[in-house]
Amino acid sequence: MDWDNAYANIANIPGGEEFPAVWLERSSGFRDGMATDRMRCNLSYGPHPREVMDVFLPEGVSGGVAVFVHGGYWLKFDQSVFSHLAEGALGNGWTVVMPGYPLAPEVRVSSITQSIARAVTRVAEDFDGPIRLAGHSAGGHLVTRQICADSSLAAAVTERIAGIFSISGVHDLRPMLKLAMNAELQLDMAEATRESPALHAPLESFDVHAWVGDDERPEFVRQTTLLANIWSGFDMRMRQTIESDRHHLDVISGLDAPHSGITKALLGL
């Protein structure tokens, strides 16, 4: 099996290389159109320069906080590339928080997990109401890690988490050891095993929804089904959705629409 090709998303999607530029343009336009009193960008939540988050506030009283953690194989992007995806939750009256995080190879994947824990803790300190955690690709890994039995989140924080939404998440990191990108990730078997949500018991009972497109690389469908199958064996309210005609790069596109299926699923509507 060609493991690099199995996880190569952009190379296997027609026009895939154009998506990041489109995301960036749309996100810039979204921020330009936001009222300044409803947007806070690059708020620090930790000591690293990349431990910052963007906050978008709805009109009126907020129904809760939706946290979106971006993907990029723990190697690239920051939260500013995905601002436009806040539109769906905002349109339903939710606050949206998008954390950035340090990237490999400067830090290890296990360190990034702790960065997101700091971000979620800051969200719980700063905002009232339920918290729903969503992440795409590597972000799906990072949000599901927060509710594993070894989570560093305080009980007062996990009690606020109303749902976990992993979109095309990587839930078993052991295949990453076979990829060329591991020269930068620097995973070994011990860390890959420790950082794999599918190899952990979940912390307690949560609503978890694993979402993936049916046109994605088979490995991402397998990774989603793997988590759904394993965590269904615990006291979890576990759901899986395989969305038709969606690939790895456009599976998140509906998050910019208040009434899309993926936005409703994220918010538990």
Side-chain angles (χ1 to χ4, degrees):
M1 181 171 176
D2 184 344
W3 284 98
D4 285 305
N5 185 58
Y7 284 88
N9 289 303
I10 288 179
N12 284 288
I13 295 170
E17 68 283 352
E18 300 172 8
F19 274 79
V22 171
W23 293 336
L24 192 59
E25 182 179 4
R26 290 200 59 196
S27 290
S28 178
F30 167 77
R31 292 192 303 274
D32 288 344
M34 278 286 291
T36 55
D37 62 345
R38 294 175 49 212
M39 178 174 62
R40 304 285 186 274
C41 291
N42 294 315
L43 297 177
S44 176
Y45 68 79
H48 193 279
R50 289 185 63 95
E51 289 183 319
V52 294
M53 58 189 186
D54 294 349
V55 177
F56 304 101
L57 303 171
E59 296 179 354
V61 178
S62 177
V65 187
V67 179
F68 177 82
V69 182
H70 70 82
Y73 279 124
W74 311 274
L75 292 168
K76 57 186 177 182
F77 300 134
D78 63 39
Q79 76 283 2
S80 69
V81 179
F82 302 93
S83 303
H84 64 290
L85 299 180
E87 290 187 78
L90 282 173
N92 283 283
W94 282 63
T95 298
V96 178
V97 176
M98 295 189 168
Y101 49 83
L103 301 173
E106 181 186 359
V107 299
R108 302 188 71 88
V109 170
S110 54
S111 177
I112 300 173
T113 293
Q114 295 307 310
S115 289
I116 298 305
R118 283 190 286 275
V120 174
T121 298
R122 174 68 183 274
V123 167
E125 292 170 348
D126 288 359
F127 300 98
D128 296 327
I131 299 169
R132 303 189 76 90
L133 304 182
H136 174 233
S137 197
H141 158 263
L142 292 167
V143 297
T144 50
R145 277 293 283 129
Q146 304 309 313
I147 61 165
C148 293
D150 66 342
S151 175
S152 62
L153 292 178
V157 177
T158 59
E159 289 169 1
R160 296 269 308 282
I161 297 175
I164 302 288
F165 193 59
S166 178
I167 310 166
S168 309
V170 183
H171 306 119
D172 179 359
L173 272 61
R174 292 173 298 179
M176 302 297 106
L177 300 176
K178 304 175 185 292
L179 307 187
M181 74 173 72
N182 198 43
E184 295 178 271
L185 295 177
Q186 301 178 27
L187 287 166
D188 55 26
M189 182 58 77
E191 185 178 23
T193 300
R194 187 172 64 251
E195 282 299 311
S196 295
L199 303 182
H200 282 273
L203 187 61
E204 55 185 78
S205 180
F206 286 95
D207 287 320
V208 179
H209 197 152
W211 187 289
V212 70
D214 71 347
D215 283 343
E216 301 214 33
R217 307 298 293 151
E219 269 295 281
F220 282 90
V221 178
R222 184 188 70 82
Q223 288 269 1
T224 299
T225 301
L226 177 68
L227 185 77
N229 284 345
I230 291 179
W231 276 12
S232 292
F234 294 93
D235 184 22
M236 305 291 285
R237 295 174 294 278
M238 187 83 218
R239 293 184 60 194
Q240 178 184 9
T241 296
I242 301 178
E243 186 178 10
S244 299
D245 302 320
R246 291 292 187 185
H247 54 63
H248 194 75
L249 302 181
D250 69 5
V251 70
I252 55 176
S253 60
L255 292 174
D256 66 2
H259 304 295
S260 70
I262 194 170
T263 295
K264 290 180 179 179
L266 162 61
L267 300 179
L269 301 177

